[in-house]
Amino acid sequence: MIRVIVDFDLCQGHGMCELEAPDVFAAQRDTVELLDNPVDDFLRPDLERAVRFCPTQALSIVQEDD
Ligand code: SF4
């Protein structure tokens, strides 16, 4: 499993993460809601794109032992 970490001080609700990983993120007006956390490993490529494209660098991911 992969744990998603959001720095809510940085997040501005841009929604790029939702575009890349709609199963995990739901952008709100100025923040983001996590729909799933921790996240199944098969979504890692989506999560990595969300981390990369977040304009405020608010996201990070951590691999967790199952
Ligand atoms: S892309 Fe970044 S700033 Fe935008 S909603 Fe997602 S975490 Fe927040």
Side-chain angles (χ1 to χ4, degrees):
M1 301 290 276
I2 301 166
R3 181 162 296 277
V4 178
I5 299 167
V6 182
D7 185 334
F8 288 101
D9 290 334
L10 292 177
C11 175
Q12 297 175 0
H14 291 292
M16 296 302 290
C17 55
E18 182 177 337
L19 290 176
E20 301 300 336
D23 293 331
V24 180
F25 300 101
Q28 308 296 334
R29 204 147 59 108
D30 56 2
T31 187
V32 68
E33 178 185 354
L34 289 174
L35 303 176
D36 195 18
N37 200 25
V39 181
D40 284 336
D41 288 336
F42 77 90
L43 285 172
R44 174 177 280 279
D46 293 1
L47 292 175
E48 289 179 342
R49 283 197 309 278
V51 168
R52 190 173 336 132
F53 293 127
C54 172
T56 64
Q57 295 165 3
L59 298 177
S60 54
I61 54 176
V62 178
Q63 185 71 45
E64 288 199 335
D65 293 334
D66 292 332

